Amino acid sequence: MNFTGPIYRPPYEAESLLLQVTVGCAHNKCTYCTMYKDVRFTMEKIDQIEEDLKEARQLYKNVKRVFLVNGDAFVLSANRLKPIAEKIIEYFPEVECITMYASINNIKSKSDEELRQLRDLRIGDLWVGVETGNEKTLDYMNKGFTLEDSYKQLERLNKAGMTHIDIIIFGAAGKGKGMQNALDTAKLINHSEPIGISITTMGAFGDSQLAKDVENGIFEPAPEIEVLEEQKHFIDLIDFNTAYLGIHGINTVAFDASLPSEKEMSIKRIDHAIKNLGEQYLNSVPERHSI
């Protein structure tokens, strides 16, 4: 199997076959991210992808799920993704889902008919980097799309019947702004109704623009107590059936839950952590090394 540079995947794709179709990230300009800073974005050739599929078929006899790497593989046009999906199905006819990271702009670049065609080729469960429903926070993140884009493009996925998991970041708005961020993000998520909500927590690290802004006093990170209160408020506001996917190692209180049925249990779990973590930790900004 051919892989170039660092490989990232959601924790929940641990059992999925990883198949490289791009290298790096096509956007690579997010304020908080350093994951692909030293990697030039390129697209893998279909011949190499087929060679990897041949090798994988020899190694694995029953593949139900394939995760396409790297950073935003859904950036590939429908005309590039369709033959890749067809090759996957040729070598692994038992595959049930072909998934990958996606940005809002990746969705925007595809027509409604193309989205339906990709869905019919078993592409779904897209891990969409939504990050926040707060417009000012989104602008600061330099994601390259607007909040209006988020609402519109996630709705287009729903209309095409393509399932998605929306990734959000607690603490993204900074000190004193977590409750508003929770309110705005919950509003977006309740509107888009993803099958899952993937939870991470903001960290300023490495040579990211965020780390520089923290050092220069431009961005003030939220203390941990505010992040946990934001987390509680967000959970309390979710009003449709979805999976809360929160086991990422950078989350202070890491757990999975079904919402809204396990809402009360989830909030109690966070309250228990707040009670036992200690004032010093809760009033600090814990060091995080990834997103």
Side-chain angles (χ1 to χ4, degrees), residues 117-171:
Q117 290 171 353
L118 294 173
R119 174 208 63 197
D120 291 344
L121 287 168
R122 308 181 202 178
I123 291 178
D125 290 7
L126 296 180
W127 295 82
V128 184
V130 172
E131 324 304 10
T132 179
N134 181 269
E135 194 160 16
K136 288 185 178 180
T137 303
L138 185 62
D139 288 345
Y140 173 71
M141 286 179 164
N142 195 31
K143 297 290 297 182
F145 56 84
T146 66
L147 183 57
E148 182 181 357
D149 290 333
S150 295
Y151 275 93
K152 184 175 181 179
Q153 299 310 318
L154 293 171
E155 181 63 22
R156 289 184 63 234
L157 284 185
N158 291 342
K159 287 181 178 178
M162 186 173 285
T163 53
H164 53 101
I165 300 152
D166 295 352
I167 304 169
I168 67 168
I169 305 178
F170 290 135

Side-chain angles (χ1 to χ4, degrees), residues 258-271:
S258 295
L259 295 180
S261 61
E262 296 180 327
K263 182 181 293 188
E264 183 178 353
M265 178 274 292
S266 299
I267 292 172
K268 284 182 178 179
R269 192 166 188 168
I270 301 168
D271 279 334

Side-chain angles (χ1 to χ4, degrees), residues 11 58 64 69 90 104 113 121 124 136 142 180 225 231:
Q58 293 175 345
K64 299 294 187 181
V69 298
E90 177 186 339
I104 294 296
E113 179 59 26
L121 287 168
K136 288 185 178 180
N142 195 31
Q180 186 63 50
I225 183 62
Q231 187 177 0

